[in-house]
Amino acid sequence: MNVEPRSSPGPEEPHEAPHTAAPAVSVVVIVYNDEARLPTAVRSVLDQTLRGVEVVIVDDRSTDGSYEVARRLAAEHPGRVRAHRLPENSGGCGAPRNHGIRRARGDHVMFLDSDDVLERNACRNLLEAAETTGADLVSGLCVRVHVDARSGKEVKWYPWLYARTRTLDSISELPDLLVFDTLSTNKCYRRDFLLDNALEFPVGIHYEDLLFSAQAYAAARRITLIPNRVYDWNVVDNPGTANRAGTKSISNRRAEIANFTHRMEIHRRVDQLLVDRGLAELKFHKDVKFLKHDLVLHLRDLPFRDAAYRREFAAIARAYLESVDPAAYAEIEPIHAICAYLLRKGDWDNLLPAVDTLTNRDKISAPLVERDGRIYWCAEHLDNPDDGGFARRVLDVTDLGYHTKPVERMFLRNELTAYQGPYGGDGGGSDGGGTVRLAGRITNPLGVVPHGARLTGELEFAARRKGVRFQVFRFPVATLRHEGATIAWEATADLTRGLRPVGIVDAVWDVRLHLQVDGVRTTTRLTASEPGLVTGQLPVRPRLTRLVADRIEPQISSRGHLAFRLVPDKKANALVQRGIHGAPGRLAKSGYRRARAVRRTFASGDTKIRVYHEVFSRLPVKKRLVVFESHLGRQYSDSPRALYEEMRRQGLRFEAVWAYADSPEGFPEDAVLVRRWSMPYLKALARAEFWIDNQSYPLKLTKRPGTTYIQTWHGSALKRMGFDEPEWKLRSRSEQAAQQRTLDRFDRFLVRSEHDVRTLARAFRLKEKTLLRVGYPRNDALVRARETPGRPPQAAELGIPEDKQVLLYAPTFRRREQRRFELPFDVERFADTFGDRYVLLVRSHYLNHVVLPPSVRGQVVDVSSHHDVTPLLSLADGLITDYSSVMFDYALLDRPMFFFAYDYEEYVHEGRGTYFDLLERAPGPVVRTEDDLYAALGSLQQQSAKYSGARERFVADFGEYDKGHAAESVVDEFFAQWRRA
């Protein structure tokens, strides 16, 4: 609700309806200067499916016609709507809601803001839950509705809290409810509960919902949550469209220091409430949320605030941060913790760059420092002997992997240090000069841009609106030099001569600086972190007409980056705006929207599938066209690679197409490369004579009768697969039938043992004629490696010394909320223990990602980016795994294997289940702890001898068809006729 400062008091003007029977629910609707939307809010209450509902409108002394609208609604609905008016404007939501509580006659009370609406069944669902459970407070799902978004965007408010119906006897049972859902409006309260506990909103201070909700949660004897949608919180992304004044809501007035002061005071009151109520243990959860949400909202605005605001903000924040539990820092993202810590220390030199990364999540804004094999955000504060290592824990960014990125994959902070237009920055010289001079500093983290590197750069100006980049304008960077931990640069751009906007459609132009380091390019944005640095206007020459706009002025984007905006001529702009909003403009815009919609439709998955079936599949099958794919296009690897290379080795005449998912780097240069799901990819699949892959081509693509699908698969099975998985057994008959149709596309399915026949073939319901008992082409190299002694060339490529043995750690896929895979053992301890004997190669699953600390350089090596695991298996003197199918392949080498099954019970009993007991049949020691793993790794020779018999039996059971000529067998059967004469 929009509010204004207090006005002079006036008489209260109640408009009471005739007395009727007490309603079941009273909905208190508060309003201030919102006459246009008030009727919609009230109508959402009157239209409730629960009929025993009354509306209590409380006007906060509006200056428009809101109260007159309220009185009219009361007159139109006597007995159901009552209107009240406060004697003076309260400046917030608390006073009108409190007045509504006192005036309510229902057994239960709800709150509604005049710019929002209730879902039609909200009152019925909330009341039924209250009466069924006897709860003092019932809460339902709130949805943020972006009313001015063309896409009809809706965002559920913390939906995990409302996944199911549940009743709590204490808020301690679900701390997240107190921490995250601080709204008062998506709830139904027993009125006697409010009165008996004297629950009222604080008055004269903003963020009153936070305190009121905390008080209600703490006092309630029983709380019920229901999964039903009850409240639509209407969000206006452009405040100017909400009302004539375009007044911002209270929570969006973050430029006012009073806003932050009120937020901190409310947090202090909630903290004290928790202590007084004996709920002090909940404060930790609240501290976590404060650090990663409440504080962040204000931190992001700091680059736009002046020095006086920053000083006052820091003083207020530091006082509260002293009360935050230090353990809460470990529960939030590193950059959130870093910003809070630097703010607490008053370290502005490091804080503002950290805020840049907070706003632009992939940006590296600090020079970073390496100490004792770890990477830290900054060097300051690391050697404080009085904090017990707290600074080091907070500032440690090793796990973010910055030190593993090459310069071309870094998004570096580029701070604008100088900006000068004509006549010393005014930018509006009468001589028409449009030259702007800029200078800045690019962060050089860990010296990734070495001294002596050849540096070149250019500034790029590009229209922000997609689809109208008719031309990109570039200007050379004159000066580039190392300057401490940064790369300093200077450039001059004559926008009058160089920048030629069309006008109207390309109103905003973004600026980027492309830096070339020894021929490798990285792109930066220009960050303006000091208010008032960029000012003035510069002339430009539009391509169409200067009547619309012939000047451009700098502006700072919401992410803090420099951009330029065309400044329209007022009179001409009025004519243009009338044209745009008139019939010709509407026609042009509708045509443009239709064109965009057609383009989106053409690029959609459904359209591509239709084009595949209705267009490409009607073209003739192209003889000798083979499409290869490995692991959904993520790699050039595995049996498809082995078959491809065998076909090339034999000199077969065929056309090869390889599919890639992200980048074509690493894929063969002598094949046609197509991006997965692109039109060329679909056309190749539709026309191919052969499909060869190891996982699955897109499920909804039907294979043509003239195409042969050779499915090599990607490993024997320990864990249950296909229709043996519990998940698939529970699916509907139609879903199972659809899945079976995709599996029936396989014409031949490669197996390496009868175990595969009993497991994979049965789980996929494959016919016997489909099975090809030849082994895996990828394993031909392993059979040869066992028969050919000597270290492979990969050892030298990885820099592995001759006197060290190689261990490979290759775990199976782990489902995590984040892609980064946490190693289950301490690699630094491994390096300390075995660094003189072993080099450990870490190969995470292609769906996971691992980061190694720099302290283990040369002793532990991340090889996850290598496309093919087979050369790594050949290189390894021993394998450490858990449940990965690489165990079946590596066994062919007859080398030591170690099974680190630290989560065996969880994996076996809580996951899919397994086809056999690994503990009984593992060809090597199965260990559960890091200590046991290190004990087993003591001697490879001893383990090799101890488990030689087990390895032999393992190969006989799971690799009986792997004889070293699988690729030749497949080529002979399907492609022999393609050999050159």
Side-chain angles (χ1 to χ4, degrees), residues 170-198:
S170 169
I171 189 61
S172 297
E173 297 177 26
L174 188 61
D176 278 356
L177 183 62
L178 176 136
V179 169
F180 290 101
D181 189 359
T182 57
L183 300 178
S184 65
T185 49
N186 60 333
K187 297 171 177 61
C188 180
Y189 310 85
R190 192 166 54 82
R191 184 167 179 267
D192 287 345
F193 161 71
L194 298 179
L195 297 177
D196 292 346
N197 290 276

Side-chain angles (χ1 to χ4, degrees), residues 390-427:
F390 180 60
R392 288 193 172 230
R393 290 192 296 274
V394 171
L395 298 174
D396 190 331
V397 293
T398 308
D399 290 345
L400 297 181
Y402 292 145
H403 60 285
T404 67
K405 293 185 177 182
V407 66
E408 64 269 21
R409 290 178 52 205
M410 289 184 168
F411 179 23
L412 300 175
R413 173 177 166 88
N414 185 350
E415 182 186 3
L416 189 66
T417 58
Y419 176 92
Q420 185 179 37
Y423 298 102
D426 170 70

Side-chain angles (χ1 to χ4, degrees), residues 416-468:
L416 189 66
T417 58
Y419 176 92
Q420 185 179 37
Y423 298 102
D426 170 70
S430 60
D431 64 350
T435 299
V436 60
R437 295 171 179 81
L438 306 101
R441 292 189 296 259
I442 302 173
T443 300
N444 186 17
L446 301 171
V448 69
V449 181
H451 285 272
R454 181 169 51 87
L455 304 179
T456 58
E458 62 180 4
L459 286 176
E460 176 186 276
F461 291 72
R464 178 176 297 174
R465 181 177 292 180
K466 295 179 180 179
V468 296

Side-chain angles (χ1 to χ4, degrees), residues 146-335:
H146 294 256
V147 294
D148 56 350
R150 290 179 180 174
S151 60
K153 177 182 175 183
E154 294 187 350
V155 180
K156 294 179 179 178
W157 187 253
Y158 301 115
W160 79 85
L161 295 171
Y162 298 97
R164 59 183 175 85
T165 299
R166 53 180 158 180
T167 298
L168 313 172
D169 292 324
S170 169
I171 189 61
S172 297
E173 297 177 26
L174 188 61
D176 278 356
L177 183 62
L178 176 136
V179 169
F180 290 101
D181 189 359
T182 57
L183 300 178
S184 65
T185 49
N186 60 333
K187 297 171 177 61
C188 180
Y189 310 85
R190 192 166 54 82
R191 184 167 179 267
D192 287 345
F193 161 71
L194 298 179
L195 297 177
D196 292 346
N197 290 276
L199 293 180
E200 288 192 340
F201 290 86
V203 177
I205 188 169
H206 303 324
Y207 303 103
E208 52 275 279
D209 268 21
L210 274 71
L211 182 57
F212 180 83
S213 296
Q215 291 171 331
Y217 286 141
R221 293 175 296 103
R222 184 167 294 170
I223 302 168
T224 295
L225 308 182
I226 62 174
N228 308 80
R229 179 174 183 166
V230 300
Y231 194 90
D232 283 5
W233 177 358
N234 290 329
V235 179
V236 180
D237 296 312
N238 178 11
T241 65
N243 50 57
R244 288 191 301 272
T247 306
K248 288 186 176 182
S249 65
I250 297 167
S251 58
N252 285 328
R253 298 179 190 171
R254 292 194 294 271
E256 303 170 10
I257 195 64
N259 183 290
F260 186 62
T261 304
H262 286 204
R263 186 187 287 270
M264 292 299 93
E265 176 59 26
I266 287 292
H267 274 281
R268 290 188 188 93
R269 294 188 190 184
V270 173
D271 292 345
Q272 188 60 51
L273 167 72
L274 295 178
V275 172
D276 294 343
R277 290 280 187 170
L279 299 170
E281 73 278 1
L282 298 182
K283 183 179 180 299
F284 172 78
H285 301 277
K286 182 179 159 299
D287 286 346
V288 172
K289 194 248 188 176
F290 172 78
L291 291 176
K292 71 180 184 181
H293 175 73
D294 299 75
L295 183 61
V296 167
L297 289 175
H298 294 269
L299 283 172
R300 286 180 175 149
D301 294 330
L302 285 182
F304 306 99
R305 307 291 175 247
D306 58 24
Y309 179 98
R310 292 175 185 175
R311 284 194 301 270
E312 192 170 356
F313 173 84
I316 297 168
R318 279 201 299 269
Y320 186 77
L321 284 171
E322 293 295 333
S323 71
V324 170
D325 188 338
Y329 286 75
E331 301 297 320
I332 59 178
E333 294 186 40
I335 192 60

Side-chain angles (χ1 to χ4, degrees), residues 910-924:
E910 297 181 18
R912 301 182 194 172
T914 59
Y915 285 116
F916 63 88
D917 190 345
L918 181 65
L919 301 179
E920 295 179 358
R921 303 180 71 175

Side-chain angles (χ1 to χ4, degrees), residues 470-471 473 498-503 506 541-546:
F470 302 106
Q471 192 170 349
F473 303 96
L499 184 61
R500 298 295 307 280
V502 174
D506 52 353
R541 293 187 298 158
R543 290 180 179 273
L544 295 182
T545 173
R546 294 189 179 185

